[in-house]
């Protein structure tokens, strides 16, 4: 494959992977919130007739993580050699820690379903809201910074990213449904990259 053809396909790869991640992650979050409608999920108990929702969400979560890694890799390929090494390191680190934390929270939540315990619920909830959402905020900040500097994202979308990161960083653990901010931002970025990928061949 020629270098130019590879560059033209990168936005489409990032856009497709990000869209699938956003939809899967949003579906998992909605299913968990259906099963645990209370504001503080750490103290809530999943009703027996709602456990299917949590189990389905836990089945979706690994695939969401896989597509997020693909999204992150395609984004980095889109930026190329012009990236700032310091910000790029934070970008990669926050993304990898986010996925690892989400997987750990999912594993903890799965163990709670089989053997309910207060510690397990608090552990899973803390991983999800205190650590995963903060890492998501750092990922959003760094992605918006790199992409705006290099012209990958327009200014309004970069500003939207900073606002989304601020919500995740400050209000993530105390605001119900705030978990949806991250997949919503990923969907907005992915749709923009898909449009850029579709227009690139024509402009070339």
């Amino acid at each position: 494959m020629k270098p130019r053809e590879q560059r033209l396909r990168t936005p489409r790869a990032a856009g497709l992977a990000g869209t699938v991640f956003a939809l899967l992650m949003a579906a998992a979050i909605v299913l968990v919130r259906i099963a645990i409608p209370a504001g503080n999920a750490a103290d809530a108990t999943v009703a027996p007739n709602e456990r299917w929702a949590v189990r389905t969400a836990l089945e979706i979560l690994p695939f969401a993580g896989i597509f997020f890694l693909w999204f992150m890799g395609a984004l980095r390929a889109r930026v190329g050699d012009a990236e700032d090494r310091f910000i790029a390191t934070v970008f990669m680190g926050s993304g990898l820690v986010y996925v690892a934390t989400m997987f750990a929270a999912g594993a903890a939540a799965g163990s709670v379903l089989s053997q309910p315990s207060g510690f397990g619920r608090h552990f899973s909830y803390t991983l999800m809201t205190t650590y995963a959402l903060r890492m998501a905020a750092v990922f959003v900040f760094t992605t918006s910074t790199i992409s705006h500097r290099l012209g990958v994202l327009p200014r309004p979308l970069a500003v939207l990213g900073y606002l989304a990161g601020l919500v995740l960083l400050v209000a993530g653990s105390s605001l119900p449904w705030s978990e949806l901010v991250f997949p919503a931002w990923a969907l907005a970025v992915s749709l923009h990259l898909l449009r850029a990928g579709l227009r690139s061949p024509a402009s070339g």
Side-chain angles (χ1 to χ4, degrees):
M1 184 183 296
K2 296 180 181 179
R4 177 172 175 77
E5 294 177 354
Q6 186 175 10
R7 286 198 300 270
L8 291 178
R9 292 188 181 187
T10 301
R12 287 181 242 171
L16 287 172
T19 300
V20 176
F21 157 72
L23 296 178
L24 289 177
M25 195 67 210
I29 292 170
V30 170
L31 285 170
V32 170
R33 282 297 179 182
I34 289 174
I36 311 173
N40 187 2
D43 298 324
T45 301
V46 181
N49 61 334
E50 298 289 354
R51 291 193 172 190
W52 68 268
V54 178
R55 290 195 182 97
T56 304
L58 295 180
E59 291 292 331
I60 292 174
L61 195 60
F63 296 99
I66 291 170
F67 278 100
F68 177 77
L69 291 176
W70 192 275
F71 173 61
M72 186 171 63
L75 273 179
R76 193 173 183 213
R78 169 71 170 160
V79 171
D81 296 333
E83 64 184 3
D84 180 277
R85 288 177 181 266
F86 172 75
I87 299 179
T89 301
V90 180
F91 165 84
M92 289 292 295
S94 60
L96 293 175
V97 173
Y98 169 76
V99 173
T101 308
M102 289 295 298
F103 284 174
S111 66
V112 170
L113 286 178
S114 58
Q115 296 180 348
S117 66
F119 171 77
R121 287 198 302 270
H122 280 274
F123 180 68
S124 177
Y125 184 76
T126 301
L127 280 178
M128 177 76 69
T129 59
T130 302
Y131 295 99
L133 291 187
R134 264 60 176 193
M135 288 298 100
V138 175
F139 181 83
V140 172
F141 283 139
T142 53
T143 303
S144 300
T145 301
I146 296 173
S147 301
H148 179 58
R149 283 183 180 178
L150 300 179
V152 177
L153 297 180
R155 182 180 179 83
L157 200 52
V159 172
L160 177 65
Y162 290 125
L163 292 176
L166 191 63
V167 171
L168 293 170
L169 189 65
V170 176
S173 59
S174 58
L175 186 63
W177 294 95
S178 61
E179 305 94 341
L180 287 173
V181 171
F182 186 48
W185 169 83
L187 182 61
V189 171
S190 300
L191 292 178
H192 171 76
L193 292 176
L194 275 176
R195 286 185 58 193
L198 291 174
R199 289 185 310 186
S200 292
S203 63

